[in-house]
Amino acid sequence: MSLAAIKQINETEQLMQSQKTEALQQAQKMQADAQRDGNSLMEATEKQAREQAQAMLQEADKKSEATTKRILNEAKSACEKLDKNASRNLDAAAALIVERVVKI
């Protein structure tokens, strides 16, 4: 084999090794970029999920507060009606007692 052929083979081997190293570095960079992008996407998704959960909790609190107020108002009205009925019954009961005492 001639010296020129050996030199060309060595140059080709070096070029191939260089290309292989460069391809490996590019693959590692692509993997690192994909990992970073995946982590960023995961963090953004988690943040969005936390915000949605917080909004849902706030909405549930508002609804429960409104329901509580409605129930309290209904209970208050019912108590007032009972109180009025009791007052009327008390007057009637007092009159009945007086009537019976007077008859004795």
Side-chain angles (χ1 to χ4, degrees):
M1 217 192 275
S2 72
L3 187 61
I6 293 174
K7 186 176 180 182
Q8 186 178 4
I9 290 172
N10 282 339
E11 288 174 358
T12 304
E13 285 178 349
Q14 287 177 354
L15 178 63
M16 294 306 238
Q17 183 63 35
S18 173
Q19 289 176 347
K20 182 178 176 184
T21 302
E22 184 178 327
L24 182 60
Q25 288 173 348
Q26 286 178 350
Q28 289 172 341
K29 183 183 181 307
M30 289 173 63
Q31 182 181 9
D33 290 347
Q35 183 72 34
R36 185 188 69 243
D37 293 345
N39 287 342
S40 294
L41 180 60
M42 187 173 66
E43 288 173 9
T45 303
E46 287 175 348
K47 180 180 177 187
Q48 183 181 9
R50 281 191 302 271
E51 290 171 353
Q52 285 178 340
Q54 185 66 28
M56 290 171 72
L57 286 173
Q58 289 174 348
E59 183 65 26
D61 283 345
K62 287 179 185 176
K63 286 181 180 179
S64 110
E65 188 175 312
T67 302
T68 300
K69 284 181 182 178
R70 180 183 53 79
I71 291 171
L72 285 174
N73 286 335
E74 289 173 1
K76 184 178 177 183
S77 294
C79 285
E80 288 173 356
K81 286 179 185 177
L82 287 173
D83 189 38
K84 286 180 185 178
N85 288 338
S87 292
R88 278 188 297 216
N89 290 340
L90 181 62
D91 292 340
L96 182 64
I97 292 170
V98 169
E99 181 182 323
R100 287 188 182 176
V101 169
V102 172
K103 284 185 178 183
I104 294 180

